[in-house]
């Protein structure tokens, strides 16, 4: 299993955690539905609820969906967290907006060396989504040796309880899953910037970017 703990197999069917959270975030699965959509008219479904209303509400209150980032908000997940592995400078972050043909703006976020230590540091920029994917990969690969804060342990454990509860409903084994890997996968894909930053800060290592890859010192 290359991506340990991230893709699950059950009855020949692959389920990703993002699909699980789609289920956990759709009131339909605890037996209620809105029709027409956005009308505020709710009906009780005839089907057997897949999850309880309590679990649904628990999931809603335990997570924050990142709100759309506003223009010029200068909000970043990993500000002040990374050092440059090539020269030792701080890694800074900036955003650029590209005007699309339809008039909307697309936001691009880049992390790059400040070159305070070495003015001609060769380290190239890394965009935020790549950095996020590399972080998750680092955590998956190194989970056995990673030291984390008590707060992060507590958050991962709380999240894992919900995962186990849900998976048990579907008779999916959670034996091969690791709380930190599950929590990191969830937060890096679905969490708010604040949660993402706190996840990385809860890992007791100094993260460096070298050759666009993540390592620790
Ligand atoms: Zn550098």
């Amino acid at each position: 299993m290359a991506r340990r703990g991230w893709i699950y197999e059950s009855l020949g069917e692959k389920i990703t955690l993002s699909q699980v959270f789609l289920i956990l975030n759709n009131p339909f699965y605890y037996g209620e539905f809105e029709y027409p959509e956005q009308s505020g008219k709710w009906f009780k479904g005839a089907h057997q609820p897949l999850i309880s209303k309590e679990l649904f509400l628990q999931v809603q209150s335990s997570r924050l969906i990142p709100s759309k980032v506003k223009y010029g908000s200068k909000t970043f997940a990993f500000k002040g967290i990374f050092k440059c592995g090539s020269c030792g400078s701080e890694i800074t972050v900036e955003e650029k907006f590209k005007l699309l043909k339809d008039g909307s703006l697309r936001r691009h976020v880049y992390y790059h060396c400040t070159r305070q230590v070495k003015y001609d540091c060769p380290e190239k920029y890394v965009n935020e989504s790549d950095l996020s994917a590399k972080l998750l990969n680092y955590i998956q690969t190194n989970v056995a040796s990673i030291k984390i804060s008590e707060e992060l342990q507590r958050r991962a454990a709380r999240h894992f309880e919900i995962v186990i509860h849900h998976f048990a409903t579907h008779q999916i084994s959670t034996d091969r899953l690791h709380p930190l890997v599950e929590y990191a996968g969830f937060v890096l894909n679905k969490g708010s910037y604040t949660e993402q930053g706190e996840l990385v800060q809860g890992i007791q290592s100094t993260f460096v970017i070298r050759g666009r890859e993540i390592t620790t010192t």
Side-chain angles (χ1 to χ4, degrees), residues 3 5 15 63 68 79 97 107 122 145 165 178 181 212:
R3 303 187 64 197
I15 297 174
R63 67 190 296 248
K68 281 232 170 71
K79 197 174 183 173
F97 290 86
R107 182 176 187 255
S145 59
H165 179 103
H178 188 287
V181 173
R212 286 182 156 161

Side-chain angles (χ1 to χ4, degrees), residues 24-171:
L24 289 175
N25 282 293
N26 188 336
F28 181 81
Y29 291 101
Y30 69 72
E32 287 180 20
F33 63 95
E34 189 182 24
Y35 186 83
E37 271 184 44
Q38 310 293 334
S39 68
K41 287 179 191 163
W42 287 87
F43 295 88
K44 222 165 173 58
H47 59 286
Q48 189 70 23
L50 203 54
I51 61 174
S52 70
K53 186 163 186 172
E54 287 66 35
L55 175 60
F56 177 78
L57 295 174
Q58 190 188 345
V59 170
Q60 296 311 303
S61 64
S62 75
R63 67 190 296 248
L64 293 163
I65 298 165
S67 55
K68 281 232 170 71
V69 178
K70 288 193 198 96
Y71 177 80
S73 65
K74 306 270 183 217
T75 318
F76 307 103
F78 312 119
K79 197 174 183 173
I81 286 176
F82 292 94
K83 290 234 186 277
C84 174
S86 297
C87 77
S89 298
E90 303 285 330
I91 293 284
T92 191
V93 53
E94 59 186 291
E95 62 186 356
K96 289 198 168 101
F97 290 86
K98 197 175 151 190
L99 187 63
L100 302 180
K101 277 182 182 162
D102 66 1
S104 65
L105 288 171
R106 179 172 290 164
R107 182 176 187 255
H108 295 271
V109 177
Y110 304 93
Y111 289 78
H112 63 86
C113 177
T114 53
R115 298 182 168 175
Q116 291 157 320
V117 176
K118 196 165 178 264
Y119 76 94
D120 59 350
C121 175
E123 193 60 50
K124 294 186 170 65
Y125 72 84
V126 186
N127 75 49
E128 192 167 75
S129 51
D130 283 351
L131 198 57
S132 187
K134 283 171 184 188
L135 259 173
L136 181 55
N137 188 48
Y138 178 89
I139 293 168
Q140 286 169 330
T141 310
N142 298 284
V143 68
S145 59
I146 285 173
K147 301 262 183 301
I148 62 172
S149 68
E150 278 181 21
E151 171 64 17
L152 181 53
Q153 267 177 41
R154 204 174 55 79
R155 288 185 187 194
R158 194 176 55 199
H159 174 82
F160 201 53
E161 271 178 36
I162 298 173
V163 172
I164 288 176
H165 179 103
H166 183 70
F167 279 33
T169 320
H170 294 280
Q171 284 102 44

Side-chain angles (χ1 to χ4, degrees), residues 161-207:
E161 271 178 36
I162 298 173
V163 172
I164 288 176
H165 179 103
H166 183 70
F167 279 33
T169 320
H170 294 280
Q171 284 102 44
I172 301 170
S173 166
T174 49
D175 293 353
R176 304 174 75 164
L177 308 184
H178 188 287
L180 180 62
V181 173
E182 292 315 308
Y183 182 66
F186 169 59
V187 164
L188 290 171
N189 286 296
K190 302 266 181 185
S192 67
Y193 269 171
T194 307
E195 288 174 310
Q196 294 180 358
E198 285 170 357
L199 165 75
V200 182
Q201 282 163 330
I203 297 171
Q204 293 161 342
S205 311
T206 303
F207 283 97

Side-chain angles (χ1 to χ4, degrees), residues 6-23:
W6 191 236
I7 294 169
Y8 317 93
E9 294 197 32
S10 158
L11 308 166
E13 228 186 317
K14 279 186 179 164
I15 297 174
T16 63
L17 250 201
S18 59
Q19 287 171 306
V20 169
F21 280 97
L22 278 180
I23 292 173

